[in-house]
Amino acid sequence: MNKISKPEILFYQKLGELFYAIAAADRVVRKAEYNVLTQLVTEEWKEMDDYKDQFGTDAAYQISIVFEWFDYERMDAEDCFTSFSDYYKDHTKLFYGKRKELIVNTVRAIANAFNGTNKSELIMITKLELLFNKN
């Protein structure tokens, strides 16, 4: 069933913000991180559900769109993580087991994409896991 759902569109946009925060935790977003994210959106996130945006495109692509835009704008990683955390706290019902698992797998893959996970990324991943474990 194809449908347009603004809450789902925002959900995917917030994921793009989170994934950008992980990639930018060390203040540099690498091509390898882009590549891993693109691959995961295509192979994993598109299959998560069948939500479409107003143009009929799979809503999961909002992840990549926001990620790229935030990188272009050089957004602050900590601010992005805080924004995602606030969104999560207000919308915990959107984050069920399978989604949480894929989110954690995605952030770990992004962090490992370039020379393994660094300290800044590890701290942010740990904060995410603590956030998820509270609920």
Side-chain angles (χ1 to χ4, degrees):
M1 174 184 212
N2 294 337
K3 50 192 165 186
I4 298 171
S5 174
K6 289 185 181 179
E8 290 293 333
I9 300 293
L10 182 59
F11 169 79
Y12 284 115
Q13 290 171 340
K14 286 297 183 177
L15 288 180
E17 185 173 32
L18 170 66
F19 299 153
Y20 168 77
I22 298 297
D26 60 357
R27 294 187 168 72
V28 179
V29 178
R30 312 259 191 227
K31 183 174 179 165
E33 293 166 323
Y34 268 107
N35 292 343
V36 165
L37 178 67
T38 300
Q39 179 182 359
L40 289 170
V41 167
T42 302
E43 295 177 3
E44 302 286 337
W45 285 102
K46 262 183 62 181
E47 303 303 319
M48 181 61 66
D49 57 45
D50 61 354
Y51 291 102
K52 305 287 183 198
D53 65 14
Q54 65 271 25
F55 304 109
T57 304
D58 196 297
Y61 286 116
Q62 290 294 316
I63 295 170
S64 297
I65 292 166
V66 169
F67 186 100
E68 289 178 29
W69 178 252
F70 279 31
D71 187 35
Y72 176 79
E73 291 291 325
R74 303 284 187 237
M75 301 294 285
D76 181 76
E78 283 296 327
D79 290 347
C80 291
F81 185 85
T82 300
S83 175
F84 173 82
S85 296
D86 292 344
Y87 175 81
Y88 172 79
K89 291 171 189 172
D90 291 340
H91 299 89
T92 54
K93 291 182 181 184
L94 294 174
F95 295 86
Y96 50 84
K98 188 176 179 181
R99 278 184 169 175
K100 282 183 179 179
E101 183 180 325
L102 186 51
I103 291 167
V104 171
N105 289 343
T106 302
V107 297
R108 288 185 179 281
I110 291 167
N112 281 316
F114 183 80
N115 290 336
T117 304
N118 65 44
K119 183 178 177 181
S120 301
E121 293 165 337
L122 183 60
I123 290 169
M124 205 169 280
I125 291 169
T126 302
K127 287 169 39 177
L128 176 66
E129 289 174 336
L130 289 171
L131 179 68
F132 280 178
N133 288 331
K134 284 183 182 179
N135 295 319

